[in-house]
Amino acid sequence: MLTVEEALEKILEEVDVLGTEYVHILDSLGQVLAEDIKSSIDVPPLDNSAMDGFAVRAEDTRGADEKTPKYLKVTDTILAGSVSRQEVMPGTTMRIMTGAPIPKGADSVVQFEHTDSEKDKNAARAGIMEQARPGLNVRKAGENITRGAIALKKGTVIRPSEIGLLASVGYSKVKVIRRPVVAVLSTGNELVDVGNPLPEGKIYDSNLYAIASLVKRYGGIPKVLGLARDDEAELISKLKQAQDSDMVITTGGVSMGDYDMVKDIIARDGRMVFWKVRVKPGKPLAFGKIKGTDKSGRERTIPHLGLPGNAVSCMVSFELFVRPALLKMMGKKNIGKPTVLAILEDDIKNDAGRRIYDRAIIEKRNGHYYARLTGPQGSGILTSMALANGLVLIPEEKLTVKKGETVQALMLDWNEEVNV
Ligand code: AMP
Ligand code: MG
């Protein structure tokens, strides 16, 4: 049976970085830049004031202090966004607001707090009580970004600060690697969609919504296909609707049951790459490629991940195998979840001989990370997942891990909401 690492490698080999698109900057959060961003302007465009105060010629303030102010004639007021048409002549000054361009003649700004005119907007003269050096409180044109410089490099992951930077150089649209469209389909005769009454013997389909929201969380666009019964014709017809997507995820129907037919359909209609991974939860993971078409109708193959049906198994499999594939498709380089070393607060038995990922609450106390299990670890117990902010990893060969031992923990939520 493949190890987690071997299985992941096979998946990553079969997925490619997607093409590019132009999007409005506000829609680009989390995407990867597909072009260098060259600035056509200086940022800031002009020398401007870092303070509310008086624009002065530094030489006019020589010797000024609180006891011996230098008095200058006030000739203008410059607001942020406007330019004074006048010049600061010797012996004169202008009121200037933060961000307003430095007027001709001035080389420095004395903040209001160091003058006698803090309050009086209409004073005809100002007493300057500080000796300014040239450049005092002046933000130089281009000190942030100079015209012609690369403001952001191709390959950068766009975060809020990058979006701000794009706006500051005047970009409204940006070329990025597009988001993968991921078709999501649940399989099983027992499933009922939310919003309907629950007949005897049935359960609500939770995987569809958990998986679609994982797709969203990691930057993909879920294409929700709904659910299919364990019926070949119905499965095939539903999968037809996935033909133009970049990836297909099904849940259920990959175990040993009489009606587990997802892997047969992958094999018949496409190519199976592997079935089963040495991991718990999530052993019966199936991976293959099925036939699809691109936008212009040309044939291509689409990666199909057949996740196990159990509610926890499919989510853990997603974190381990689907997430890295999606990130690779989006052009990201850093595709692993952050991990920490944590001191275990429970004993864990490994009777499966597989790599175990147990749901845990990971907390930092006195400079150390601690991990405690979120209760029963059955692979259908979704509440154990809802309580967890991480997964502790027990190696394949290790039969028991005792309280107090240090284990590797994979962080699912890093500084996000933790429901404990
Ligand atoms: P399967 O792999 O199809 O045998 O499913 C394994 C277990 O997961 C069974 O108990 C199913 O009822 C359950 N299961 C399968 N699909 C879903 C789903 N979409 N939502 C919730 N539970 C599911
Ligand atoms: Mg089933």
Side-chain angles (χ1 to χ4, degrees), residues 30-63:
Q31 285 180 279
V32 171
L33 263 181
E35 59 179 347
D36 284 340
I37 301 298
K38 204 170 178 179
S39 180
S40 61
I41 54 169
D42 278 329
V43 181
L46 299 171
D47 290 358
N48 68 91
S49 179
M51 289 287 173
D52 296 321
F54 285 95
V56 296
R57 303 166 76 96
E59 67 209 29
D60 283 352
T61 67
R62 201 167 300 147

Side-chain angles (χ1 to χ4, degrees), residues 187-191 228 230 251-255 259-261 309:
T187 74
N189 288 350
E190 72 278 36
L191 303 178
D230 296 311
T251 68
V254 285
S255 302
Y259 294 92
D260 288 340
M261 50 190 70

Side-chain angles (χ1 to χ4, degrees), residues 7 24 48 57-58 94 153 170 191 237-238 268 288 340 388 404 412:
H24 190 270
N48 68 91
R57 303 166 76 96
M94 292 181 194
K153 279 205 185 106
L191 303 178
S237 111
K238 286 276 180 179
R268 217 185 45 206
V340 297
L412 295 176

Side-chain angles (χ1 to χ4, degrees), residues 324-352:
L326 287 182
L327 297 191
K328 178 178 175 185
M329 291 168 106
M330 292 180 71
K332 299 198 183 183
K333 298 282 186 290
N334 185 7
I335 61 174
K337 272 273 187 194
T339 59
V340 297
L341 290 178
I343 300 165
L344 204 56
E345 297 189 288
D346 294 287
D347 293 343
I348 298 179
K349 270 207 171 68
N350 183 357
D351 45 17

